[in-house]
Amino acid sequence: MRSTTALAAVAGIALALAVLAFLDMPAPFLVAGCFAPFTAALAIGDGAARDQVFVVVAAVPLVFAVLPAGGALAPFPVMAEGVFVVLIFWAVYIRRYGPRGQALGIFAFMAYFLTQFLDARVSDLPGLYAAVGVGFAAHALVRFGLLRTGPARTLRRLRRAFHTHLGHVVLGAIEVVRAGRDDARLARSLERRVARLHRDALLIADLLDQDVAEQSWESSANRVLRRVVQAEVAAQRLAVLIVRSASAGPACSRAREHLVAELQVVHDNLMRPRDTDHDRVDRQLGGAPDPFPDVRHAIGELTRAVAGLRLVDGAPYRLGDGRQPPRTSPRGLRRVTTRQAVQVAAAGAIAVVLGELLSSERWYWAVLTAWVVFVNTESSQEILVQGFQRLLGTVLGVVCGPALAAVGGGGVLPALCVSLVCVYGIFRTPPRAYWAVTFFVTCLIAMTFVLLGTFSAELLALRVQETVLGALCGVLMGTLVLPTTACRAGAARLLEVLRVLRRTRVREGGALFDIRELDGAIEELRGSLRPLTHPLNPRRARRAHARRLLALLESCAYHARSLAAVTAEPAVQLGEAGCEMRAVERIRATLDRTIALVEAGGWPAIPCQDGRRTLARLAAEHRWGGDRTSSAAHRELFHLERLDEATTELAGALGGARIGCPAR
């Protein structure tokens, strides 16, 4: 999906530049023509089609209203700076209305920034309108015509990616088996492949109907989701058992070769569907005792899951509209958007004053940095991490700036080609690598200076200074004005995870277990705790506790997904209702106690001596023999017991020694 967004941005910008160059527009208007495709990719990316249409239609009058305001206020610096601060507040506050509001806020901010960057005046407005209009038209032609990506096409791409990453998991399992020993590096590689598969499954679930759990059991969307969950669980179970078999000690080379052969058959079947001949591998064993019966059972389960996925290929299903169900949120300054709007406005005001001291012409760079360090953050620690990454990327981009200027300085065409490469890098880079995104942004700005004929080493050095200033303003205001710590934000997300886990069902009334909500809540918690789990966090004890908490919740999610897969088939024979209900009641009672402790301000002090990752920790769980059986009843009780143990450990950590959360 990032590739599609990047290609759309590059194609839209290239088309706009081609039209403007044909019209012989000057360089500043070439830069303005890139505004719409670049900002659209930044604001809405590969979102729902109706959201993209709404944002583009609403952004045109909004941008055309902001541009004359910036041009008219150019002769009055104080008023222009004051309006910029007010606009920043509005651009952040409007995020409360969801992705559409956030996109329109970005368009308004970037339009005003464009007038400051180009030092536009009222006399320049006709050319600006023409260039920006061409940019909007080019974006619409590319996004809704040449590179149109509806939900059905996106889902097909995601399902192909899911199959590909499923094959990568099998290849990773082959590498672990071939090693014949407990290799931490290979285990980490296998876990990363499982994580990529999990992200694909989440994206597929998001594209399916939002009310899939309310549909009939045999609805098409429900069948697709059920098959995806079963394949994901089968792949993760195979990975866990492969790691367990490697850590159990070396096995004979012949047995490993046969296991590799069977895994290779599964991989080949994924890449080129055909009948899988497991009996051939059985005959090769020659009647010798099989040291990997649990692994071979998991391979058979994965094979059946892959066959189930193909059964729903091409099946018609209703897709969601991309809108998330409404959530209850705090009011007033407790609302994240309101609090951040106040923080960003305060940071922007200080950045304006101090930025003027550094440069009366480029002060807006400090304001830009003060704004972006708050994007997709909740706590002051997240702002600090994002500010550091932005500074790092800016410095690296400035270091490479002269070299890029030498490459692109040979003429307009080389400069434009280098700029398009930078644009692709901006939108293709994963969001977590924000420093790399900033690196490409800085390189793009350097090439823009080349096009405008204003490039100089002093200008790049000034950008670094303004970036440092803006980041410091953002961190300072995030810490002093209505501050929220990572622990406090994490506690709120942890409560959401526990409440979602409390609402989970094995199977009630024939409804499919909605694992997507739990996975999404854990991903949000992971984002909130990222400053605590960051390798540069000097508080090693807090970092270890946060990592162990995430690992424990990932174990809960694994067993919950396994329960969903085991009990998903309507005709499956489950265990005795009494045993099942007693386990469920224990889990819910434990979660109720845990929720009460977190609400009281506790933070789990989980023992951190176990530094193993998720796969190794799951593989070390006792009584894995109960998971080996093909009986759904035993598998169901096994995962319920493991879920009971994990929730009990979490409640015990909160009920015993606790690390208090900072004052709320």
Side-chain angles (χ1 to χ4, degrees), residues 172-525:
I174 291 175
E175 293 175 0
V176 174
V177 173
R178 279 177 175 162
R181 65 184 188 280
D182 189 2
D183 190 319
R185 181 184 61 83
L186 292 178
R188 286 195 298 270
S189 174
L190 180 57
E191 184 163 2
R192 286 193 294 269
R193 299 181 189 205
V194 172
R196 285 194 291 268
L197 183 71
H198 178 59
R199 287 194 292 269
D200 289 340
L202 287 179
L203 291 172
I204 290 173
D206 286 339
L207 277 176
L208 293 174
D209 193 281
Q210 301 294 326
D211 298 325
V212 64
E214 305 299 328
Q215 298 178 23
S216 65
W217 185 262
E218 286 303 321
S219 67
S220 298
N222 229 326
R223 290 200 305 272
V224 172
L225 181 58
R226 187 166 71 248
R227 298 300 185 182
V228 168
V229 170
Q230 288 174 333
E232 180 195 357
V233 169
Q236 188 170 10
R237 178 172 176 249
L238 174 64
V240 169
L241 291 173
I242 286 289
V243 172
R244 176 180 180 267
S245 66
S247 60
C252 67
S253 58
R254 183 184 178 192
R256 288 201 307 270
E257 290 173 2
H258 290 316
L259 193 57
V260 167
E262 189 159 0
L263 287 168
Q264 190 64 54
V265 169
V266 175
H267 178 265
D268 294 342
N269 189 37
L270 274 167
M271 300 299 102
R272 297 179 296 277
R274 62 175 182 267
D275 293 335
T276 305
D277 186 10
H278 293 286
D279 293 336
R280 176 179 58 83
V281 181
D282 292 338
R283 290 191 297 270
Q284 290 176 352
L285 286 172
D290 185 3
F292 305 110
D294 49 357
V295 176
R296 298 203 58 218
H297 182 273
I299 292 173
E301 183 178 286
L302 179 58
T303 303
R304 291 189 294 273
V306 171
L309 275 175
R310 294 205 174 93
L311 289 176
V312 294
D313 280 344
Y317 34 75
R318 185 161 58 98
L319 295 174
D321 55 13
R323 293 176 293 181
Q324 297 295 329
R327 290 184 177 181
T328 58
S329 57
R331 296 181 178 275
L333 292 177
R334 283 187 161 187
R335 189 191 294 267
V336 175
T337 52
T338 306
R339 171 173 56 80
Q340 284 201 339
V342 174
Q343 292 174 322
V344 173
I350 297 177
V352 164
V353 176
L354 298 181
E356 280 278 6
L357 298 179
L358 283 178
S359 171
S360 59
E361 296 180 352
R362 306 291 180 180
W363 56 270
Y364 47 81
W365 279 342
V367 181
L368 173 66
T369 301
W371 176 65
V372 298
V373 295
F374 283 89
V375 175
N376 295 326
T377 61
E378 288 188 12
S379 64
S380 54
Q381 287 93 334
E382 285 186 271
I383 297 170
L384 176 62
V385 172
Q386 188 141 302
F388 172 76
Q389 291 197 34
R390 184 164 186 86
L391 178 59
L392 175 62
T394 301
V395 171
L396 293 176
V398 167
V399 170
C400 297
L404 290 176
V407 173
V412 175
L413 185 59
L416 291 178
C417 291
V418 175
S419 299
L420 292 178
V421 172
C422 293
V423 170
Y424 184 85
I426 290 171
F427 295 107
R428 184 61 182 84
T429 304
R432 287 187 178 181
Y434 183 65
W435 65 269
V437 175
T438 308
F439 167 78
F440 285 114
V441 169
T442 305
C443 293
L444 178 63
I445 290 176
M447 298 313 302
T448 304
F449 289 148
V450 171
L451 286 171
L452 296 176
T454 58
F455 179 85
S456 67
E458 293 77 12
L459 199 57
L460 293 181
L462 177 62
R463 171 164 170 78
V464 173
Q465 297 172 18
E466 295 278 2
T467 300
V468 172
L469 180 60
L472 288 177
C473 291
V475 172
L476 186 65
M477 292 300 101
T479 304
L480 299 180
V481 179
L482 304 175
T484 295
T485 64
C487 183
R488 182 177 177 182
R493 296 296 188 187
L494 177 58
L495 274 175
E496 180 64 21
V497 171
L498 295 174
R499 286 166 179 160
V500 171
L501 190 57
R502 173 67 174 78
R503 293 195 299 268
T504 57
R505 300 164 294 176
V506 176
R507 187 173 65 192
E508 296 176 5
L512 179 64
F513 177 86
D514 191 6
I515 196 64
R516 177 187 57 199
E517 188 179 5
L518 176 60
D519 287 330
I522 292 178
E523 287 302 312
E524 291 179 354
L525 174 63

